[in-house]
Protein backbone atom coordinates (compact mmCIF):
# COMPACT_ATOMS: atom_id res chain seq x y z
CA UNK A 1 0.00 0.00 0.00
CA UNK A 2 2.86 2.31 0.82
CA UNK A 3 4.49 1.50 -2.52
CA UNK A 4 1.23 2.32 -4.33
CA UNK A 5 1.11 5.69 -2.56
CA UNK A 6 4.73 6.44 -3.57
CA UNK A 7 3.94 5.61 -7.20
CA UNK A 8 0.89 7.89 -7.02
CA UNK A 9 2.95 10.73 -5.55
CA UNK A 10 5.64 10.39 -8.21
CA UNK A 11 3.01 10.42 -10.96
CA UNK A 12 1.38 13.48 -9.39
CA UNK A 13 4.71 15.25 -9.14
CA UNK A 14 5.15 14.97 -12.91
CA UNK A 15 1.93 16.84 -13.59
CA UNK A 16 1.89 19.35 -10.74
CA UNK A 17 4.19 22.36 -10.22
CA UNK A 18 7.09 21.60 -7.91
CA UNK A 19 6.80 22.64 -4.31
CA UNK A 20 9.50 24.86 -2.85
CA UNK A 21 10.62 25.41 0.72
CA UNK A 22 12.59 28.62 1.14
CA UNK A 23 14.49 29.44 4.32
CA UNK A 24 15.11 33.03 5.36
CA UNK A 25 17.25 34.40 8.10
CA UNK A 26 15.56 37.23 9.95
CA UNK A 27 16.12 40.90 9.16
CA UNK A 28 19.20 42.94 9.94
CA UNK A 29 18.72 43.62 13.64
CA UNK A 30 20.04 45.62 16.54
CA UNK A 31 22.37 43.92 19.03
CA UNK A 32 22.17 43.63 22.80
CA UNK A 33 24.95 44.67 25.18
CA UNK A 34 25.94 41.25 26.48
CA UNK A 35 29.43 39.93 25.71
CA UNK A 36 30.35 36.41 26.84
CA UNK A 37 33.78 34.84 27.09
CA UNK A 38 35.86 37.15 29.32
CA UNK A 39 35.70 36.54 33.08
CA UNK A 40 34.69 39.59 35.10
CA UNK A 41 33.44 41.59 32.12
CA UNK A 42 30.07 40.81 30.54
CA UNK A 43 28.91 43.94 28.76
CA UNK A 44 29.92 45.96 25.70
CA UNK A 45 30.67 49.04 27.79
CA UNK A 46 33.47 47.09 29.52
CA UNK A 47 35.41 47.04 26.25
CA UNK A 48 34.73 50.46 24.72
CA UNK A 49 34.64 54.10 25.80
CA UNK A 50 32.81 55.18 22.67
CA UNK A 51 29.12 55.23 21.81
CA UNK A 52 27.50 52.07 20.56
CA UNK A 53 25.29 52.25 17.43
CA UNK A 54 22.08 54.23 17.85
CA UNK A 55 19.76 51.48 16.66
CA UNK A 56 16.54 53.42 17.32
CA UNK A 57 14.83 50.13 18.13
CA UNK A 58 14.77 47.74 21.13
CA UNK A 59 17.55 45.18 21.49
CA UNK A 60 17.59 42.40 18.89
CA UNK A 61 14.65 43.83 16.95
CA UNK A 62 14.70 44.64 13.23
CA UNK A 63 16.18 48.00 12.39
CA UNK A 64 14.07 50.22 10.14
CA UNK A 65 16.28 49.52 7.13
CA UNK A 66 16.50 45.84 8.04
CA UNK A 67 12.71 45.50 7.83
CA UNK A 68 12.69 47.46 4.58
CA UNK A 69 15.21 45.05 3.07
CA UNK A 70 12.90 42.13 3.89
CA UNK A 71 10.10 43.89 2.02
CA UNK A 72 12.37 44.39 -1.00
CA UNK A 73 13.24 40.68 -0.84
CA UNK A 74 9.51 39.93 -1.04
CA UNK A 75 9.12 42.21 -4.06
CA UNK A 76 12.03 40.49 -5.78
CA UNK A 77 10.49 37.07 -5.16
CA UNK A 78 7.15 38.25 -6.51
CA UNK A 79 8.81 39.53 -9.69
CA UNK A 80 11.23 36.66 -10.33
CA UNK A 81 10.11 33.45 -8.59
CA UNK A 82 6.42 33.72 -7.71
CA UNK A 83 4.71 36.07 -10.21
CA UNK A 84 1.27 34.60 -9.49
CA UNK A 85 1.62 33.92 -5.78
CA UNK A 86 -1.52 33.97 -3.63
CA UNK A 87 -2.35 33.16 -0.03
CA UNK A 88 -3.58 29.76 -1.27
CA UNK A 89 -0.26 28.84 -2.85
CA UNK A 90 2.02 30.15 -0.10
CA UNK A 91 2.35 29.25 3.56
CA UNK A 92 4.65 31.35 5.76
CA UNK A 93 5.87 29.88 9.03
CA UNK A 94 7.76 31.92 11.61
CA UNK A 95 9.26 31.78 15.05
CA UNK A 96 7.61 34.00 17.66
CA UNK A 97 10.63 36.26 18.27
CA UNK A 98 9.85 39.86 17.37
CA UNK A 99 12.55 40.05 14.70
CA UNK A 100 11.23 36.89 13.04
CA UNK A 101 7.60 38.03 13.08
CA UNK A 102 8.57 41.45 11.71
CA UNK A 103 10.66 39.81 8.98
CA UNK A 104 7.77 37.54 7.94
CA UNK A 105 5.26 40.37 7.81
CA UNK A 106 7.51 42.67 5.79
CA UNK A 107 8.38 39.82 3.41
CA UNK A 108 4.66 39.31 2.80
CA UNK A 109 4.10 43.03 2.25
CA UNK A 110 6.66 42.81 -0.54
CA UNK A 111 5.01 39.72 -2.03
CA UNK A 112 1.53 41.28 -2.01
CA UNK A 113 0.48 43.01 -5.23
CA UNK A 114 -0.75 46.56 -5.20
CA UNK A 115 -4.48 47.28 -5.45
CA UNK A 116 -5.35 43.76 -4.30
CA UNK A 117 -6.75 42.62 -0.97
CA UNK A 118 -3.95 41.66 1.41
CA UNK A 119 -4.95 38.26 2.81
CA UNK A 120 -1.60 36.65 3.55
CA UNK A 121 -1.12 35.32 7.07
CA UNK A 122 1.79 34.01 9.11
CA UNK A 123 1.65 30.76 11.05
CA UNK A 124 3.72 30.92 14.24
CA UNK A 125 5.26 27.56 15.19
CA UNK A 126 8.12 28.27 17.62
CA UNK A 127 9.12 24.64 18.23
CA UNK A 128 10.01 24.22 14.57
CA UNK A 129 12.88 26.64 15.09
CA UNK A 130 13.95 26.03 18.69
CA UNK A 131 12.86 22.94 20.61
CA UNK A 132 14.53 24.29 23.75
CA UNK A 133 15.57 27.66 25.14
CA UNK A 134 13.59 30.90 25.01
CA UNK A 135 11.16 29.40 27.52
CA UNK A 136 10.71 26.20 25.49
CA UNK A 137 11.52 22.73 26.74
CA UNK A 138 10.19 20.22 24.23
CA UNK A 139 13.51 18.39 24.51
CA UNK A 140 17.04 19.27 25.60
CA UNK A 141 20.48 18.22 24.35
CA UNK A 142 23.07 16.29 26.33
CA UNK A 143 25.09 19.11 27.93
CA UNK A 144 28.24 16.99 28.39
CA UNK A 145 28.23 16.02 24.72
CA UNK A 146 27.65 19.63 23.67
CA UNK A 147 30.70 20.73 25.70
CA UNK A 148 32.83 17.94 24.24
CA UNK A 149 31.86 18.69 20.64
CA UNK A 150 32.26 22.45 21.14
CA UNK A 151 35.81 21.93 22.43
CA UNK A 152 36.59 19.73 19.43
CA UNK A 153 35.21 22.40 17.09
CA UNK A 154 37.42 25.03 18.73
CA UNK A 155 40.48 22.90 18.00
CA UNK A 156 39.50 21.96 14.44
CA UNK A 157 38.30 25.34 13.11
CA UNK A 158 40.64 27.98 11.77
CA UNK A 159 40.41 31.43 13.30
CA UNK A 160 40.05 34.17 10.67
CA UNK A 161 42.24 37.07 9.60
CA UNK A 162 45.41 34.97 9.55
CA UNK A 163 45.25 33.85 13.20
CA UNK A 164 45.00 30.13 12.39
CA UNK A 165 44.06 27.10 14.46
CA UNK A 166 44.34 27.24 18.23
CA UNK A 167 47.10 24.64 18.51
CA UNK A 168 49.46 26.65 16.32
CA UNK A 169 47.77 30.06 16.43
CA UNK A 170 49.62 33.17 15.39
CA UNK A 171 49.37 35.07 18.68
CA UNK A 172 51.18 38.06 17.24
CA UNK A 173 48.54 38.38 14.53
CA UNK A 174 45.79 37.81 17.13
CA UNK A 175 47.04 40.78 19.19
CA UNK A 176 47.40 42.89 16.06
CA UNK A 177 43.79 42.23 15.02
CA UNK A 178 42.59 43.21 18.51
CA UNK A 179 44.73 46.38 18.45
CA UNK A 180 43.21 47.40 15.13
CA UNK A 181 39.71 46.85 16.51
CA UNK A 182 40.58 49.15 19.41
CA UNK A 183 41.30 51.98 16.97
CA UNK A 184 37.62 51.74 15.94
CA UNK A 185 35.85 51.13 19.25
CA UNK A 186 38.22 52.55 21.84
CA UNK A 187 39.16 51.01 25.20
CA UNK A 188 37.00 50.21 28.21
CA UNK A 189 37.65 49.22 31.83
CA UNK A 190 38.71 45.73 30.71
CA UNK A 191 41.91 47.35 29.47
CA UNK A 192 43.74 47.07 26.14
CA UNK A 193 41.95 44.72 23.79
CA UNK A 194 45.23 43.09 22.78
CA UNK A 195 45.60 41.81 26.35
CA UNK A 196 42.33 39.88 26.26
CA UNK A 197 42.73 36.09 26.68
CA UNK A 198 43.02 33.72 23.76
CA UNK A 199 40.28 31.12 23.23
CA UNK A 200 40.56 28.16 25.57
CA UNK A 201 38.80 25.18 27.13
CA UNK A 202 38.16 25.70 30.86
CA UNK A 203 38.59 23.10 33.60
CA UNK A 204 34.92 22.08 33.40
CA UNK A 205 35.26 21.44 29.66
CA UNK A 206 33.39 24.54 28.47
CA UNK A 207 34.79 26.81 25.76
CA UNK A 208 35.75 30.40 26.53
CA UNK A 209 36.51 32.48 23.46
CA UNK A 210 38.05 35.46 25.23
CA UNK A 211 39.08 38.20 22.81
CA UNK A 212 37.52 36.30 19.93
CA UNK A 213 34.11 36.74 21.57
CA UNK A 214 34.71 40.49 21.89
CA UNK A 215 35.66 40.69 18.21
CA UNK A 216 32.52 38.78 17.31
CA UNK A 217 30.37 41.29 19.24
CA UNK A 218 31.88 44.40 17.66
CA UNK A 219 31.98 42.75 14.23
CA UNK A 220 28.20 42.40 14.44
CA UNK A 221 27.89 46.07 15.33
CA UNK A 222 30.18 47.08 12.46
CA UNK A 223 28.23 45.09 9.86
CA UNK A 224 24.68 45.50 11.16
CA UNK A 225 25.10 49.26 11.59
CA UNK A 226 26.39 49.57 8.05
CA UNK A 227 23.54 47.47 6.65
CA UNK A 228 21.06 49.62 8.61
CA UNK A 229 22.48 52.92 7.36
CA UNK A 230 23.60 53.87 10.88
CA UNK A 231 26.97 55.64 11.21
CA UNK A 232 29.38 53.69 13.44
CA UNK A 233 33.20 53.95 13.54
CA UNK A 234 35.64 54.76 10.76
CA UNK A 235 36.10 51.13 9.64
CA UNK A 236 36.23 50.59 5.90
CA UNK A 237 33.92 48.18 4.13
CA UNK A 238 36.83 45.77 3.63
CA UNK A 239 37.61 45.86 7.35
CA UNK A 240 33.97 45.24 8.27
CA UNK A 241 33.90 42.16 6.04
CA UNK A 242 37.18 40.92 7.54
CA UNK A 243 35.98 41.21 11.14
CA UNK A 244 32.57 39.66 10.44
CA UNK A 245 34.43 36.37 9.91
CA UNK A 246 34.69 36.23 13.71
CA UNK A 247 30.90 36.00 13.85
CA UNK A 248 31.02 32.85 11.71
CA UNK A 249 33.87 31.41 13.77
CA UNK A 250 31.88 32.01 16.96
CA UNK A 251 28.84 30.26 15.49
CA UNK A 252 30.87 27.28 14.28
CA UNK A 253 32.29 26.71 17.76
CA UNK A 254 29.38 27.59 20.08
CA UNK A 255 26.18 27.53 18.01
CA UNK A 256 26.58 25.00 15.22
CA UNK A 257 27.40 22.12 17.55
CA UNK A 258 25.90 18.88 16.15
CA UNK A 259 24.68 17.62 19.54
CA UNK A 260 22.83 20.91 20.01
CA UNK A 261 21.54 21.45 16.48
CA UNK A 262 20.22 17.91 16.04
CA UNK A 263 17.88 18.44 18.98
CA UNK A 264 17.18 22.14 18.47
CA UNK A 265 16.11 21.83 14.83
CA UNK A 266 14.62 18.34 14.81
CA UNK A 267 10.97 19.43 14.62
CA UNK A 268 11.62 21.88 11.78
CA UNK A 269 13.66 19.39 9.75
CA UNK A 270 10.99 16.72 10.07
CA UNK A 271 8.29 19.14 8.93
CA UNK A 272 10.28 20.22 5.87
CA UNK A 273 10.92 16.59 4.90
CA UNK A 274 7.27 15.74 5.39
CA UNK A 275 6.10 18.70 3.31
CA UNK A 276 8.53 17.98 0.48
CA UNK A 277 7.43 14.35 0.30
CA UNK A 278 4.03 15.49 -0.95
CA UNK A 279 3.71 17.61 -4.12
CA UNK A 280 0.35 18.84 -2.84
CA UNK A 281 -0.15 21.96 -0.75
CA UNK A 282 1.39 25.45 -0.74
CA UNK A 283 5.00 26.53 -1.02
CA UNK A 284 6.67 27.24 2.31
CA UNK A 285 8.77 30.14 3.57
Amino acid sequence: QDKERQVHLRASAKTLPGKQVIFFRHCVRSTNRQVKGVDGFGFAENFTNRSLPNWQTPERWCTAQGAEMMEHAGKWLAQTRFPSITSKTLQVISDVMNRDATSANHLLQGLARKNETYDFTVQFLPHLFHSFGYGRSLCTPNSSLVKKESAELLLSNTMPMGVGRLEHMNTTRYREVLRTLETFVGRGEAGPLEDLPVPSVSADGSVKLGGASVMRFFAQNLMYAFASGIPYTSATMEQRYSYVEWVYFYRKVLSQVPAKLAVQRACGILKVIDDLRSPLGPNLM
Side-chain angles (χ1 to χ4, degrees), residues 27-269:
C27 58
V28 176
R29 60 166 177 82
S30 61
T31 62
N32 60 11
R33 296 166 43 247
Q34 189 177 30
V35 181
K36 300 177 181 178
V38 180
D39 290 337
F41 302 99
F43 295 95
E45 291 84 353
N46 299 142
F47 304 98
T48 180
N49 58 356
R50 298 176 188 173
S51 298
L52 296 169
N54 180 14
W55 300 113
Q56 300 180 37
T57 189
E59 291 182 353
R60 300 173 73 85
W61 283 27
C62 295
T63 62
Q65 193 158 298
E68 186 179 330
M69 284 193 286
M70 292 303 298
E71 187 170 337
H72 280 291
K75 289 179 179 177
W76 179 84
L77 284 171
Q79 293 169 0
T80 61
R81 300 284 294 277
F82 302 111
S84 58
I85 198 76
T86 71
S87 59
K88 291 182 176 61
T89 58
L90 175 68
Q91 181 183 11
V92 176
I93 300 173
S94 173
D95 200 348
V96 294
M97 308 293 282
N98 182 281
R99 60 182 179 268
D100 299 310
T102 299
S103 299
N105 283 316
H106 278 267
L107 184 70
L108 285 176
Q109 287 179 41
L111 281 164
R113 288 187 291 276
K114 292 182 179 180
N115 304 320
E116 290 190 11
T117 302
Y118 181 92
D119 62 349
F120 289 104
T121 59
V122 179
Q123 187 176 9
F124 293 100
L125 299 174
H127 282 116
L128 295 190
F129 301 91
H130 295 276
S131 61
F132 64 91
Y134 304 104
R136 308 163 202 176
S137 56
L138 186 64
C139 48
T140 53
N142 182 311
S143 58
S144 298
L145 183 58
V146 170
K147 280 184 181 180
K148 177 177 178 293
E149 291 186 348
S150 183
E152 292 171 352
L153 289 167
L154 173 62
L155 293 173
S156 63
N157 276 284
T158 301
M159 285 180 271
M161 298 181 73
V163 175
R165 291 192 178 185
L166 183 63
E167 187 179 6
H168 304 292
M169 71 178 291
N170 185 337
T171 53
T172 301
R173 177 58 180 160
Y174 183 72
R175 307 297 179 199
E176 180 185 352
V177 170
L178 283 164
R179 274 199 308 274
T180 302
L181 179 64
E182 189 173 305
T183 66
F184 305 141
V185 304
R187 180 186 300 182
E189 61 181 302
L193 295 186
E194 66 176 300
D195 292 341
L196 293 175
V198 301
S200 63
V201 179
S202 62
D204 69 352
S206 59
V207 169
K208 287 188 175 294
L209 288 184
S213 184
V214 175
M215 284 193 278
R216 170 258 185 181
F217 174 83
F218 285 107
Q220 284 186 317
N221 280 358
L222 288 169
M223 188 57 74
Y224 296 177
F226 171 79
S228 300
I230 297 171
Y232 179 63
T233 82
S234 60
T236 66
M237 195 67 253
E238 182 180 358
Q239 288 168 325
R240 292 173 198 263
Y241 273 112
S242 294
Y243 278 96
V244 85
E245 292 294 329
W246 290 99
V247 176
Y248 305 131
F249 175 75
Y250 180 99
R251 290 175 181 169
K252 287 176 183 177
V253 174
L254 294 181
S255 301
Q256 296 170 358
V257 182
K260 180 191 290 186
L261 280 181
V263 175
Q264 188 179 53
R265 310 295 191 198
C267 297
I269 292 169

